[in-house]
Amino acid sequence: MAQPLPVMFLADADGDWQVERISPVSGECLLPASGLTMIEGDSEADADGGVWCLRGVTSNPRYTIGAELKKLTSVSPLLGRREASCAALIPIKKSEVWWAMAQDERRAVFEESSHHIARSIKYLPAVARRLHHARDLGEPFDFLTWFEFAPEHRNAFEDLVGELRNTEEWIYVEREVDIRLARD
Amino acid sequence: MAQPLPVMFLADADGDWQVERISPVSGECLLPASGLTMIEGDSEADADGGVWCLRGVTSNPRYTIGAELKKLTSVSPLLGRREASCAALIPIKKSEVWWAMAQDERRAVFEESSHHIARSIKYLPAVARRLHHARDLGEPFDFLTWFEFAPEHRNAFEDLVGELRNTEEWIYVEREVDIRLARD
Protein backbone atom coordinates (compact mmCIF):
# COMPACT_ATOMS: atom_id res chain seq x y z
CA MET A 1 0.00 0.00 0.00
CA ALA A 2 1.64 3.17 -1.22
CA GLN A 3 0.71 6.72 -0.25
CA PRO A 4 -2.83 7.76 -1.20
CA LEU A 5 -2.91 8.80 -4.85
CA PRO A 6 -5.16 11.74 -5.79
CA VAL A 7 -6.97 11.04 -9.07
CA MET A 8 -9.12 13.36 -11.15
CA PHE A 9 -11.65 12.29 -13.79
CA LEU A 10 -12.16 15.09 -16.26
CA ALA A 11 -15.08 14.88 -18.73
CA ASP A 12 -14.86 17.09 -21.81
CA ALA A 13 -15.36 17.11 -25.58
CA ASP A 14 -12.15 15.08 -25.98
CA GLY A 15 -10.12 12.84 -23.75
CA ASP A 16 -7.98 9.72 -23.47
CA TRP A 17 -11.19 7.67 -23.41
CA GLN A 18 -14.24 8.04 -25.64
CA VAL A 19 -17.52 8.04 -23.74
CA GLU A 20 -19.93 5.39 -25.06
CA ARG A 21 -22.73 6.32 -22.67
CA ILE A 22 -23.48 8.00 -19.35
CA SER A 23 -26.48 6.31 -17.71
CA PRO A 24 -28.30 7.29 -14.51
CA VAL A 25 -28.78 4.30 -12.21
CA SER A 26 -30.04 6.11 -9.08
CA GLY A 27 -30.52 9.82 -8.46
CA GLU A 28 -29.24 12.67 -10.57
CA CYS A 29 -27.16 11.84 -13.66
CA LEU A 30 -23.99 13.65 -14.79
CA LEU A 31 -23.95 15.97 -17.81
CA PRO A 32 -23.21 14.44 -21.21
CA ALA A 33 -19.61 14.57 -22.46
CA SER A 34 -17.84 12.72 -25.25
CA GLY A 35 -14.37 12.31 -23.74
CA LEU A 36 -12.89 11.43 -20.38
CA THR A 37 -9.34 11.66 -19.04
CA MET A 38 -8.03 10.17 -15.81
CA ILE A 39 -5.35 12.41 -14.27
CA GLU A 40 -3.19 10.95 -11.51
CA GLY A 41 -1.42 13.09 -8.92
CA ASP A 42 -2.04 16.65 -7.81
CA SER A 43 -3.33 18.79 -10.64
CA GLU A 44 -5.55 21.59 -9.34
CA ALA A 45 -4.83 23.59 -12.49
CA ASP A 46 -6.66 21.14 -14.72
CA ALA A 47 -9.88 21.24 -12.72
CA ASP A 48 -11.21 24.45 -14.26
CA GLY A 49 -11.87 23.16 -17.74
CA GLY A 50 -14.17 20.35 -18.73
CA VAL A 51 -17.86 19.57 -18.58
CA TRP A 52 -17.48 18.01 -15.16
CA CYS A 53 -14.66 16.88 -12.95
CA LEU A 54 -14.72 14.29 -10.17
CA ARG A 55 -11.91 13.85 -7.67
CA GLY A 56 -11.01 10.90 -5.47
CA VAL A 57 -8.06 9.33 -3.73
CA THR A 58 -6.85 5.75 -3.47
CA SER A 59 -6.58 4.80 0.18
CA ASN A 60 -6.12 1.89 2.59
CA PRO A 61 -8.56 -1.06 2.61
CA ARG A 62 -11.61 -0.30 4.77
CA TYR A 63 -13.34 -3.73 5.00
CA THR A 64 -10.91 -6.24 3.50
CA ILE A 65 -9.55 -8.76 6.01
CA GLY A 66 -6.13 -10.39 5.77
CA ALA A 67 -7.05 -13.53 3.80
CA GLU A 68 -9.11 -11.49 1.31
CA LEU A 69 -6.35 -8.92 0.85
CA LYS A 70 -3.79 -11.65 0.12
CA LYS A 71 -6.09 -13.24 -2.47
CA LEU A 72 -6.98 -9.89 -4.07
CA THR A 73 -3.35 -8.84 -4.30
CA SER A 74 -2.39 -12.12 -5.96
CA VAL A 75 -4.97 -11.83 -8.78
CA SER A 76 -5.32 -8.06 -9.32
CA PRO A 77 -3.74 -6.81 -12.56
CA LEU A 78 -2.28 -3.35 -13.04
CA LEU A 79 -4.28 -0.73 -14.92
CA GLY A 80 -3.28 0.14 -18.48
CA ARG A 81 -3.13 -3.35 -20.01
CA ARG A 82 -2.85 -3.08 -23.78
CA GLU A 83 -5.84 -5.34 -24.47
CA ALA A 84 -8.11 -3.56 -21.95
CA SER A 85 -9.69 -1.11 -24.37
CA CYS A 86 -12.98 -0.93 -22.45
CA ALA A 87 -13.43 0.94 -19.19
CA ALA A 88 -16.16 2.03 -16.82
CA LEU A 89 -16.33 4.75 -14.19
CA ILE A 90 -19.08 4.22 -11.62
CA PRO A 91 -19.49 7.07 -9.11
CA ILE A 92 -21.63 6.12 -6.09
CA LYS A 93 -23.03 7.97 -3.10
CA LYS A 94 -24.30 6.04 -0.11
CA SER A 95 -26.95 7.21 2.35
CA GLU A 96 -26.44 8.85 5.73
CA VAL A 97 -27.85 5.67 7.30
CA TRP A 98 -24.92 3.74 5.84
CA TRP A 99 -22.32 6.19 7.15
CA ALA A 100 -23.86 6.28 10.63
CA MET A 101 -23.46 2.51 10.98
CA ALA A 102 -20.62 1.06 13.04
CA GLN A 103 -17.71 -0.68 11.33
CA ASP A 104 -18.94 -4.22 12.08
CA GLU A 105 -22.45 -3.38 10.88
CA ARG A 106 -21.16 -2.00 7.54
CA ARG A 107 -18.80 -4.97 7.11
CA ALA A 108 -21.71 -7.40 7.76
CA VAL A 109 -23.78 -5.83 4.98
CA PHE A 110 -20.80 -5.36 2.64
CA GLU A 111 -19.38 -8.86 2.78
CA GLU A 112 -21.24 -11.34 4.99
CA SER A 113 -24.57 -10.42 3.35
CA SER A 114 -23.64 -8.91 -0.02
CA HIS A 115 -20.35 -10.75 -0.72
CA HIS A 116 -18.91 -7.66 -2.38
CA ILE A 117 -15.33 -8.95 -2.29
CA ALA A 118 -16.21 -12.60 -3.01
CA ARG A 119 -18.32 -11.61 -6.03
CA SER A 120 -15.71 -9.19 -7.40
CA ILE A 121 -12.78 -11.56 -7.05
CA LYS A 122 -14.39 -14.02 -9.49
CA TYR A 123 -13.94 -11.42 -12.23
CA LEU A 124 -10.24 -10.93 -11.57
CA PRO A 125 -7.89 -10.67 -13.39
CA ALA A 126 -10.30 -10.09 -16.33
CA VAL A 127 -11.83 -6.92 -14.88
CA ALA A 128 -9.16 -4.65 -13.36
CA ARG A 129 -10.54 -2.33 -10.67
CA ARG A 130 -9.35 0.67 -8.69
CA LEU A 131 -11.37 2.29 -5.92
CA HIS A 132 -11.12 6.02 -5.19
CA HIS A 133 -12.56 7.51 -1.99
CA ALA A 134 -14.22 10.90 -2.36
CA ARG A 135 -16.56 11.49 0.61
CA ASP A 136 -13.95 13.05 2.89
CA LEU A 137 -12.89 15.38 0.07
CA GLY A 138 -16.33 17.04 0.08
CA GLU A 139 -17.13 15.62 -3.36
CA PRO A 140 -20.68 14.88 -4.61
CA PHE A 141 -19.99 11.11 -4.64
CA ASP A 142 -18.50 8.88 -1.92
CA PHE A 143 -16.68 6.48 -4.26
CA LEU A 144 -15.41 6.51 -7.83
CA THR A 145 -14.70 2.99 -9.02
CA TRP A 146 -12.71 2.58 -12.21
CA PHE A 147 -12.74 -0.67 -14.20
CA GLU A 148 -10.69 -1.77 -17.24
CA PHE A 149 -11.28 -4.88 -19.34
CA ALA A 150 -10.88 -6.32 -22.82
CA PRO A 151 -13.89 -6.28 -25.21
CA GLU A 152 -14.42 -10.04 -24.77
CA HIS A 153 -15.14 -9.46 -21.08
CA ARG A 154 -17.95 -6.95 -21.62
CA ASN A 155 -20.58 -9.52 -20.67
CA ALA A 156 -18.66 -10.60 -17.59
CA PHE A 157 -18.55 -6.97 -16.50
CA GLU A 158 -22.33 -6.64 -16.97
CA ASP A 159 -22.78 -9.72 -14.80
CA LEU A 160 -20.59 -8.26 -12.05
CA VAL A 161 -22.39 -4.92 -12.02
CA GLY A 162 -25.79 -6.61 -12.15
CA GLU A 163 -24.94 -8.95 -9.27
CA LEU A 164 -23.75 -6.13 -7.03
CA ARG A 165 -26.82 -3.98 -7.72
CA ASN A 166 -29.02 -6.82 -6.42
CA THR A 167 -27.31 -7.02 -3.04
CA GLU A 168 -28.37 -5.68 0.36
CA GLU A 169 -25.45 -3.23 0.18
CA TRP A 170 -27.08 -1.45 -2.77
CA ILE A 171 -30.12 -0.53 -0.62
CA TYR A 172 -27.78 2.11 0.81
CA VAL A 173 -26.76 3.51 -2.59
CA GLU A 174 -28.72 6.71 -3.15
CA ARG A 175 -26.92 8.02 -6.23
CA GLU A 176 -25.15 6.05 -8.95
CA VAL A 177 -24.07 6.90 -12.47
CA ASP A 178 -22.69 4.34 -14.93
CA ILE A 179 -20.17 5.71 -17.44
CA ARG A 180 -18.91 3.37 -20.17
CA LEU A 181 -15.76 4.13 -22.12
CA ALA A 182 -13.59 2.82 -24.92
CA ARG A 183 -10.26 3.65 -26.48
CA ASP A 184 -8.64 2.69 -29.76
CA MET B 1 -23.23 10.91 11.84
CA ALA B 2 -23.50 14.11 9.84
CA GLN B 3 -21.63 14.96 6.64
CA PRO B 4 -17.83 15.07 7.03
CA LEU B 5 -16.81 18.44 8.48
CA PRO B 6 -13.59 20.02 7.15
CA VAL B 7 -11.61 21.58 10.00
CA MET B 8 -8.49 23.75 9.82
CA PHE B 9 -6.07 24.36 12.69
CA LEU B 10 -4.24 27.64 12.13
CA ALA B 11 -1.21 28.47 14.27
CA ASP B 12 -0.16 32.11 14.43
CA ALA B 13 0.93 34.88 16.81
CA ASP B 14 -2.64 35.14 18.10
CA GLY B 15 -5.64 32.86 18.12
CA ASP B 16 -8.71 31.68 20.01
CA TRP B 17 -6.42 29.45 22.07
CA GLN B 18 -3.07 30.37 23.66
CA VAL B 19 -0.36 27.83 23.02
CA GLU B 20 1.24 26.61 26.27
CA ARG B 21 3.74 24.34 24.56
CA ILE B 22 4.45 22.43 21.35
CA SER B 23 6.41 19.27 22.14
CA PRO B 24 7.90 16.74 19.73
CA VAL B 25 6.98 13.16 20.70
CA SER B 26 8.23 11.32 17.59
CA GLY B 27 9.79 12.69 14.44
CA GLU B 28 9.89 16.30 13.31
CA CYS B 29 8.20 18.93 15.50
CA LEU B 30 6.04 21.81 14.27
CA LEU B 31 7.24 25.43 14.32
CA PRO B 32 6.63 27.48 17.46
CA ALA B 33 3.53 29.68 17.56
CA SER B 34 1.73 31.43 20.39
CA GLY B 35 -1.87 31.19 19.22
CA LEU B 36 -4.10 28.60 17.58
CA THR B 37 -7.55 28.84 16.01
CA MET B 38 -9.79 25.97 14.96
CA ILE B 39 -11.80 26.88 11.86
CA GLU B 40 -14.75 24.65 10.95
CA GLY B 41 -16.12 24.41 7.41
CA ASP B 42 -14.56 25.26 4.08
CA SER B 43 -12.16 28.17 4.36
CA GLU B 44 -9.40 27.95 1.79
CA ALA B 45 -8.89 31.71 2.02
CA ASP B 46 -7.62 31.53 5.59
CA ALA B 47 -4.91 28.98 4.84
CA ASP B 48 -2.39 31.49 3.51
CA GLY B 49 -1.61 33.25 6.77
CA GLY B 50 -0.23 31.74 9.90
CA VAL B 51 2.91 29.97 11.03
CA TRP B 52 1.47 26.61 10.07
CA CYS B 53 -1.89 25.22 9.13
CA LEU B 54 -3.14 21.66 9.43
CA ARG B 55 -6.32 20.41 7.79
CA GLY B 56 -8.48 17.40 8.57
CA VAL B 57 -12.03 16.17 8.23
CA THR B 58 -14.38 14.43 10.63
CA SER B 59 -15.54 11.17 9.09
CA ASN B 60 -17.32 7.89 9.77
CA PRO B 61 -16.03 5.47 12.44
CA ARG B 62 -13.31 3.21 11.04
CA TYR B 63 -12.88 0.61 13.82
CA THR B 64 -15.70 1.20 16.29
CA ILE B 65 -18.21 -1.65 16.47
CA GLY B 66 -21.90 -1.23 17.33
CA ALA B 67 -21.74 -1.72 21.10
CA GLU B 68 -18.75 0.63 21.40
CA LEU B 69 -20.39 3.30 19.23
CA LYS B 70 -23.54 3.21 21.37
CA LYS B 71 -21.51 3.60 24.56
CA LEU B 72 -19.30 6.36 23.11
CA THR B 73 -22.31 8.30 21.83
CA SER B 74 -24.01 8.12 25.23
CA VAL B 75 -21.05 9.60 27.15
CA SER B 76 -19.38 11.96 24.63
CA PRO B 77 -19.89 15.66 25.39
CA LEU B 78 -20.04 18.39 22.77
CA LEU B 79 -17.02 20.60 22.23
CA GLY B 80 -17.08 24.15 23.58
CA ARG B 81 -18.10 23.48 27.19
CA ARG B 82 -17.66 26.64 29.24
CA GLU B 83 -15.50 24.96 31.90
CA ALA B 84 -13.22 23.23 29.35
CA SER B 85 -10.54 25.93 29.19
CA CYS B 86 -7.74 23.45 28.42
CA ALA B 87 -7.25 21.80 25.06
CA ALA B 88 -4.74 19.65 23.21
CA LEU B 89 -4.12 19.05 19.53
CA ILE B 90 -2.17 15.88 18.82
CA PRO B 91 -1.26 15.34 15.15
CA ILE B 92 -0.08 11.79 14.39
CA LYS B 93 1.34 10.02 11.36
CA LYS B 94 1.40 6.23 11.23
CA SER B 95 3.83 4.10 9.26
CA GLU B 96 3.35 2.54 5.82
CA VAL B 97 3.35 -0.86 7.56
CA TRP B 98 0.21 0.19 9.46
CA TRP B 99 -1.59 1.35 6.33
CA ALA B 100 -0.71 -1.80 4.39
CA MET B 101 -2.38 -3.98 7.02
CA ALA B 102 -5.85 -5.44 6.40
CA GLN B 103 -8.85 -4.09 8.32
CA ASP B 104 -8.99 -6.99 10.80
CA GLU B 105 -5.26 -6.76 11.46
CA ARG B 106 -5.45 -3.02 12.24
CA ARG B 107 -8.55 -3.52 14.40
CA ALA B 108 -6.76 -6.28 16.36
CA VAL B 109 -3.84 -3.98 17.18
CA PHE B 110 -6.08 -0.93 17.77
CA GLU B 111 -8.58 -2.46 20.15
CA GLU B 112 -8.03 -6.12 21.03
CA SER B 113 -4.34 -5.46 21.86
CA SER B 114 -4.15 -1.73 22.61
CA HIS B 115 -7.71 -1.10 23.90
CA HIS B 116 -7.75 2.32 22.30
CA ILE B 117 -11.52 2.74 22.66
CA ALA B 118 -11.80 1.03 26.06
CA ARG B 119 -9.01 3.20 27.48
CA SER B 120 -10.40 6.44 26.04
CA ILE B 121 -13.97 5.85 27.16
CA LYS B 122 -12.89 5.85 30.82
CA TYR B 123 -12.00 9.54 30.41
CA LEU B 124 -15.38 10.51 29.03
CA PRO B 125 -17.17 12.84 29.56
CA ALA B 126 -14.25 14.64 31.30
CA VAL B 127 -12.03 14.72 28.21
CA ALA B 128 -14.01 15.65 25.09
CA ARG B 129 -12.44 14.39 21.90
CA ARG B 130 -12.88 14.87 18.16
CA LEU B 131 -10.91 12.95 15.54
CA HIS B 132 -10.03 14.50 12.18
CA HIS B 133 -8.74 12.36 9.31
CA ALA B 134 -6.01 13.93 7.17
CA ARG B 135 -4.13 11.19 5.30
CA ASP B 136 -6.43 11.12 2.27
CA LEU B 137 -6.17 14.91 2.02
CA GLY B 138 -2.44 14.68 1.30
CA GLU B 139 -1.59 16.31 4.63
CA PRO B 140 1.68 15.71 6.56
CA PHE B 141 -0.21 13.92 9.37
CA ASP B 142 -2.77 11.09 9.19
CA PHE B 143 -4.87 12.19 12.17
CA LEU B 144 -5.45 15.38 14.12
CA THR B 145 -7.08 14.63 17.45
CA TRP B 146 -8.54 17.53 19.39
CA PHE B 147 -9.25 17.29 23.12
CA GLU B 148 -11.00 19.71 25.50
CA PHE B 149 -11.14 19.45 29.29
CA ALA B 150 -11.41 21.51 32.47
CA PRO B 151 -8.20 22.39 34.38
CA GLU B 152 -9.00 19.82 37.13
CA HIS B 153 -8.76 17.05 34.52
CA ARG B 154 -5.24 17.90 33.37
CA ASN B 155 -3.79 14.91 35.23
CA ALA B 156 -6.45 12.58 33.86
CA PHE B 157 -5.53 13.74 30.36
CA GLU B 158 -1.83 13.04 31.01
CA ASP B 159 -2.79 9.54 32.14
CA LEU B 160 -4.80 8.92 28.97
CA VAL B 161 -2.02 10.12 26.66
CA GLY B 162 0.61 8.18 28.62
CA GLU B 163 -1.43 4.98 28.52
CA LEU B 164 -1.98 5.15 24.77
CA ARG B 165 1.69 5.84 24.03
CA ASN B 166 2.59 2.59 25.78
CA THR B 167 0.37 0.41 23.59
CA GLU B 168 1.23 -1.84 20.64
CA GLU B 169 -0.64 0.60 18.39
CA TRP B 170 1.95 3.30 19.08
CA ILE B 171 4.71 1.14 17.57
CA TYR B 172 3.17 2.24 14.26
CA VAL B 173 3.25 5.97 15.10
CA GLU B 174 6.23 7.49 13.29
CA ARG B 175 5.49 11.17 13.86
CA GLU B 176 3.65 12.79 16.76
CA VAL B 177 3.50 16.34 18.08
CA ASP B 178 1.78 17.31 21.35
CA ILE B 179 0.30 20.81 21.41
CA ARG B 180 -1.21 22.07 24.67
CA LEU B 181 -3.54 25.04 24.77
CA ALA B 182 -5.54 27.20 27.15
CA ARG B 183 -8.09 29.96 26.90
CA ASP B 184 -9.37 32.51 29.39
Side-chain angles (χ1 to χ4, degrees), chain A residues 114-115 118-120 122-123 156-168 170:
Chain A
S114 305
H115 308 289
R119 285 178 202 279
S120 303
K122 289 186 295 172
Y123 297 92
F157 182 69
E158 294 302 338
D159 292 345
L160 168 60
V161 170
E163 275 189 41
L164 287 171
R165 287 186 184 139
N166 277 316
T167 61
E168 186 191 353
W170 249 252

Side-chain angles (χ1 to χ4, degrees), chain A residues 1-4 57 59-66 69 93 96 99-106 135-137, chain B residues 1-4 57 59-66 69 96 99-106 135-137:
Chain A
M1 177 58 51
Q3 283 294 312
V57 60
S59 190
N60 61 293
R62 302 286 163 92
Y63 300 108
T64 318
I65 63 172
L69 190 59
K93 184 179 173 63
E96 283 307 297
W99 291 112
M101 284 162 72
Q103 178 66 27
D104 58 333
E105 295 162 350
R106 278 179 282 106
R135 183 170 185 259
D136 290 353
L137 306 184
Chain B
M1 176 58 52
Q3 283 293 313
V57 61
S59 190
N60 61 294
R62 302 287 163 90
Y63 300 108
T64 317
I65 63 172
L69 190 59
E96 283 308 297
W99 292 114
M101 284 161 71
Q103 178 66 25
D104 58 332
E105 294 161 350
R106 279 180 282 106
R135 183 170 186 259
D136 290 352
L137 306 184

Side-chain angles (χ1 to χ4, degrees), chain B residues 22-116:
Chain B
I22 300 182
S23 316
V25 181
S26 307
E28 193 189 349
C29 198
L30 288 162
L31 288 176
S34 47
L36 185 106
T37 302
M38 175 168 66
I39 303 159
E40 298 180 343
D42 288 313
S43 49
E44 297 292 338
D46 296 305
D48 291 334
V51 177
W52 49 259
C53 176
L54 296 173
R55 294 180 316 127
V57 61
T58 65
S59 190
N60 61 294
R62 302 287 163 90
Y63 300 108
T64 317
I65 63 172
E68 292 161 349
L69 190 59
K70 206 168 166 181
K71 207 167 159 185
L72 280 169
T73 305
S74 72
V75 291
S76 293
L78 292 174
L79 297 183
R81 290 171 297 175
R82 193 185 166 81
E83 69 275 19
S85 58
C86 301
L89 174 66
I90 306 194
I92 275 175
K93 184 179 173 63
K94 283 180 171 170
S95 67
E96 283 308 297
V97 173
W98 173 263
W99 292 114
M101 284 161 71
Q103 178 66 25
D104 58 332
E105 294 161 350
R106 279 180 282 106
R107 161 76 197 190
V109 173
F110 179 85
E111 193 58 27
E112 277 67 55
S113 161
S114 304
H115 308 291
H116 191 127

